[in-house]
Amino acid sequence: MWQNPYKTLLFTASLTLLLSVSPTSFNHMQSEQELTEEIATPPSDPCTIDNQAFEAGERLVYTLYYKLNFVWIAAGQVSFAVYDTGNDFHISVDGRTFSSYEWFYKVRDHYESYVDKESLLPRMNIKDVKQGDYKRYDRTTFSQSGGRAVSMRGVTRAELERKDIDFEGCMHDLVSIMYYCRNLDIDAMKVGDTHPVTILMDQEIYPLSLKYLGQEDNVKVKGNGRYDTKVFNPQLVAGDIFKEGDEMKVYVGDDDNRIPVMITSPVRVGEVRAVLSSARGLKHPLDSKR
């Protein structure tokens, strides 16, 4: 059966968007040894970072497109919101298909992450997704100092099963990693440098990598003008959606907000794209927009 591209696109917009397909579609995952051999630049401490890129009140909205042959179809929308809860940032993410697309596939996804303001590491993550006939609820709490996460997962909130997951060092979730990566010192990166990241998603740990491809200015973002950007290539995994050698590109606005303004990726049938539709409550001026 043809794999629906929207699932890929939705997760693509959710992360810096480092790796964004459901792990159920993976046929291969690089080993930690393989990933380590690719690292060109020694990483900064992944367990602490100084947040200079965002603040509570920020709202980002992305429009999701799917290209089949020569036609771009507006498939849905993903919105991000940041709230202040004292010691934490509460980040809420909602994704949904447009009604005109739902004859093909209907999505109602909701994510929440409570991240420590000092480290940007998650304390709790909630995933509540409805994609066609597929439903899944997962509430994961993190003990960063103890190296353990507890996942309560099931089809609904009323029928949850517990799984304890041990990890070394510190761990991100699918939402927190986007905000962590926005605070990387990308001005110090050289073309070809690679930064490792690790996330816990769907009760599995994934070591990933983010490669810097260089500066690209005057990039056209559909419906939202042109931007000066820095371009990154997240690690992709061959499987049902991506072919071997496919390259996702993340275009990050070249200003102090470090917002992804566009994400593009080929898939087995066509191409997917997420573009920034609106941004408000930013910590800094959007100087990357021309």
Side-chain angles (χ1 to χ4, degrees), residues 65-74 271:
Y65 294 91
Y66 170 62
K67 185 179 182 182
L68 181 61
N69 296 323
F70 298 101
V71 179
W72 282 102
I73 301 171
E271 181 181 348

Side-chain angles (χ1 to χ4, degrees), residues 6 9 61-66 73-78 95-108 277:
Y6 180 77
L9 192 53
V61 178
Y62 293 85
T63 301
L64 312 177
Y65 294 91
Y66 170 62
I73 301 171
Q77 190 176 77
V78 176
R96 59 181 296 154
T97 40
F98 292 140
S99 57
S100 59
Y101 190 79
E102 288 178 353
W103 64 271
F104 181 61
Y105 197 75
K106 182 177 180 178
V107 171
R108 294 290 185 273
S277 299

Side-chain angles (χ1 to χ4, degrees), residues 274-285:
V275 301
L276 181 69
S277 299
S278 66
R280 56 191 178 91
L282 301 180
K283 187 171 184 175
H284 308 283

Side-chain angles (χ1 to χ4, degrees), residues 57-128:
E58 182 185 89
R59 303 289 188 274
L60 305 177
V61 178
Y62 293 85
T63 301
L64 312 177
Y65 294 91
Y66 170 62
K67 185 179 182 182
L68 181 61
N69 296 323
F70 298 101
V71 179
W72 282 102
I73 301 171
Q77 190 176 77
V78 176
S79 59
F80 295 78
V82 182
Y83 304 93
D84 190 332
T85 61
N87 293 327
D88 296 340
F89 287 117
H90 173 204
I91 304 169
S92 177
V93 183
D94 287 284
R96 59 181 296 154
T97 40
F98 292 140
S99 57
S100 59
Y101 190 79
E102 288 178 353
W103 64 271
F104 181 61
Y105 197 75
K106 182 177 180 178
V107 171
R108 294 290 185 273
D109 284 2
H110 177 73
Y111 296 84
E112 295 181 60
S113 186
Y114 292 82
V115 301
D116 177 67
K117 287 183 179 179
E118 297 298 322
S119 64
L120 297 188
L121 293 174
R123 300 184 193 270
M124 182 172 68
N125 173 267
I126 296 173
K127 170 184 176 179
D128 189 2

Side-chain angles (χ1 to χ4, degrees), residues 3 5 7 18 42 61 80 109 114 129 168 172 175 201 266 269:
Q3 177 76 34
K7 185 187 296 187
L18 293 175
V61 178
F80 295 78
D109 284 2
Y114 292 82
V129 301
E168 295 182 1
H172 281 279
V175 176
M201 180 171 65
V269 180

